[in-house]
Amino acid sequence: QVQLVESGGGLVQPGGSLRLSCAFSGTISSVNVMGWYRQVPGKERDLVARIIRGIYVNYADSVKGRFTISRDNFKNTMYLQMNSLKPEDTAVYYCNTEMGGNIYWGKGTLVTVSS
Protein backbone atom coordinates (compact mmCIF):
# COMPACT_ATOMS: atom_id res chain seq x y z
CA GLN A 1 0.00 0.00 0.00
CA VAL A 2 1.51 3.31 -1.10
CA GLN A 3 1.41 5.99 1.57
CA LEU A 4 2.51 9.60 1.42
CA VAL A 5 2.74 11.65 4.60
CA GLU A 6 3.36 15.39 4.48
CA SER A 7 4.80 17.46 7.30
CA GLY A 8 6.42 20.82 7.90
CA GLY A 9 3.54 23.19 7.37
CA GLY A 10 2.72 26.02 9.73
CA LEU A 11 2.36 29.74 10.16
CA VAL A 12 5.11 31.94 8.76
CA GLN A 13 5.46 35.67 8.14
CA PRO A 14 5.74 37.08 4.62
CA GLY A 15 9.32 36.75 3.41
CA GLY A 16 9.94 33.74 5.61
CA SER A 17 10.81 30.15 4.76
CA LEU A 18 9.46 26.67 5.37
CA ARG A 19 10.54 23.22 4.29
CA LEU A 20 7.87 20.65 3.61
CA SER A 21 8.60 16.93 3.72
CA CYS A 22 6.78 14.03 2.10
CA ALA A 23 7.61 10.62 3.50
CA PHE A 24 7.08 7.80 0.99
CA SER A 25 6.25 4.27 2.17
CA GLY A 26 8.14 2.57 -0.65
CA THR A 27 11.49 2.93 -2.39
CA ILE A 28 11.45 6.45 -3.70
CA SER A 29 14.26 5.82 -6.17
CA SER A 30 11.89 3.55 -8.11
CA VAL A 31 9.38 6.35 -8.62
CA ASN A 32 9.49 8.25 -11.88
CA VAL A 33 7.43 11.29 -11.02
CA MET A 34 6.50 12.93 -7.76
CA GLY A 35 5.02 16.33 -7.22
CA TRP A 36 3.78 18.97 -4.84
CA TYR A 37 0.36 20.51 -5.33
CA ARG A 38 -1.56 23.11 -3.38
CA GLN A 39 -5.17 23.99 -2.92
CA VAL A 40 -7.12 26.85 -1.38
CA PRO A 41 -10.82 26.57 -0.50
CA GLY A 42 -13.08 26.88 -3.50
CA LYS A 43 -10.30 26.43 -6.03
CA GLU A 44 -8.76 23.55 -7.89
CA ARG A 45 -5.64 21.77 -6.76
CA ASP A 46 -2.72 23.21 -8.70
CA LEU A 47 0.71 21.85 -9.48
CA VAL A 48 3.49 23.64 -7.60
CA ALA A 49 6.55 21.59 -8.52
CA ARG A 50 7.42 18.22 -9.96
CA ILE A 51 10.52 16.05 -9.92
CA ILE A 52 11.11 13.43 -12.60
CA ARG A 53 13.45 10.49 -12.04
CA GLY A 54 14.96 12.44 -9.18
CA ILE A 55 16.75 14.73 -11.61
CA TYR A 56 14.49 16.83 -13.79
CA VAL A 57 12.37 19.47 -12.11
CA ASN A 58 9.74 21.94 -13.18
CA TYR A 59 7.83 24.62 -11.33
CA ALA A 60 4.72 26.70 -11.58
CA ASP A 61 5.58 30.20 -12.78
CA SER A 62 4.32 31.66 -9.51
CA VAL A 63 7.00 29.87 -7.45
CA LYS A 64 9.99 29.84 -9.80
CA GLY A 65 13.09 31.18 -8.11
CA ARG A 66 11.55 30.83 -4.65
CA PHE A 67 10.73 27.13 -4.23
CA THR A 68 13.01 24.13 -4.68
CA ILE A 69 11.88 20.53 -4.97
CA SER A 70 14.22 17.68 -4.14
CA ARG A 71 14.25 14.13 -2.92
CA ASP A 72 16.47 12.01 -0.68
CA ASN A 73 16.65 8.40 -1.88
CA PHE A 74 18.17 7.20 1.40
CA LYS A 75 15.38 8.68 3.48
CA ASN A 76 12.63 7.93 0.93
CA THR A 77 11.50 11.51 1.35
CA MET A 78 10.67 14.35 -1.02
CA TYR A 79 11.06 17.98 0.03
CA LEU A 80 9.82 21.39 -0.94
CA GLN A 81 11.98 24.25 0.25
CA MET A 82 9.91 27.42 0.17
CA ASN A 83 11.64 30.79 0.48
CA SER A 84 10.41 34.38 0.20
CA LEU A 85 6.92 33.24 1.06
CA LYS A 86 3.99 35.44 0.13
CA PRO A 87 0.44 35.58 1.52
CA GLU A 88 -0.79 34.11 -1.78
CA ASP A 89 1.23 30.96 -1.04
CA THR A 90 -1.23 30.17 1.74
CA ALA A 91 -2.80 26.79 0.96
CA VAL A 92 -2.92 23.14 1.87
CA TYR A 93 0.06 21.47 0.24
CA TYR A 94 -0.19 17.89 -0.98
CA CYS A 95 2.39 15.46 -2.30
CA ASN A 96 1.50 13.17 -5.14
CA THR A 97 2.82 10.28 -7.14
CA GLU A 98 1.62 7.88 -9.78
CA MET A 99 2.51 4.19 -9.68
CA GLY A 100 1.09 1.28 -11.59
CA GLY A 101 -1.52 3.48 -13.19
CA ASN A 102 -2.83 4.69 -9.83
CA ILE A 103 -2.51 8.21 -8.45
CA TYR A 104 -1.71 8.62 -4.78
CA TRP A 105 -2.09 11.66 -2.52
CA GLY A 106 -1.07 12.51 0.97
CA LYS A 107 -3.51 14.14 3.39
CA GLY A 108 -1.86 17.52 3.08
CA THR A 109 -0.17 20.05 5.31
CA LEU A 110 -1.41 23.59 5.84
CA VAL A 111 0.87 26.53 5.09
CA THR A 112 -0.29 29.94 6.26
CA VAL A 113 1.67 33.05 5.30
CA SER A 114 0.51 35.99 7.35
CA SER A 115 1.82 38.80 9.51
Side-chain angles (χ1 to χ4, degrees):
Q1 180 70 20
V2 173
Q3 289 188 325
L4 301 167
V5 180
E6 304 94 338
S7 61
L11 173 64
V12 63
Q13 292 187 344
S17 298
L18 281 175
R19 188 177 79 158
L20 305 184
S21 299
C22 173
F24 179 64
S25 61
T27 303
I28 203 170
S29 60
S30 67
V31 178
N32 282 333
V33 182
M34 295 187 74
W36 286 99
Y37 289 72
R38 66 186 181 187
Q39 187 172 26
V40 298
K43 294 190 175 182
E44 294 185 352
R45 195 171 294 186
D46 294 326
L47 177 67
V48 175
R50 184 166 48 198
I51 185 164
I52 302 167
R53 299 175 191 169
I55 300 174
Y56 306 104
V57 297
N58 51 55
Y59 299 94
D61 287 343
S62 59
V63 307
K64 281 181 181 177
R66 300 188 298 123
F67 290 11
T68 302
I69 188 171
S70 63
R71 79 181 194 189
D72 186 327
N73 290 345
F74 294 103
K75 295 183 178 180
N76 289 319
T77 301
M78 178 177 66
Y79 301 99
L80 185 68
Q81 178 66 43
M82 306 186 295
N83 299 328
S84 303
L85 282 161
K86 304 175 181 180
E88 51 263 42
D89 294 318
T90 295
V92 178
Y93 285 71
Y94 299 89
C95 62
N96 157 282
T97 190
E98 180 177 353
M99 296 182 67
N102 297 313
I103 297 174
Y104 298 93
W105 295 94
K107 293 183 179 181
T109 186
L110 176 63
V111 172
T112 303
V113 185
S114 175
S115 56

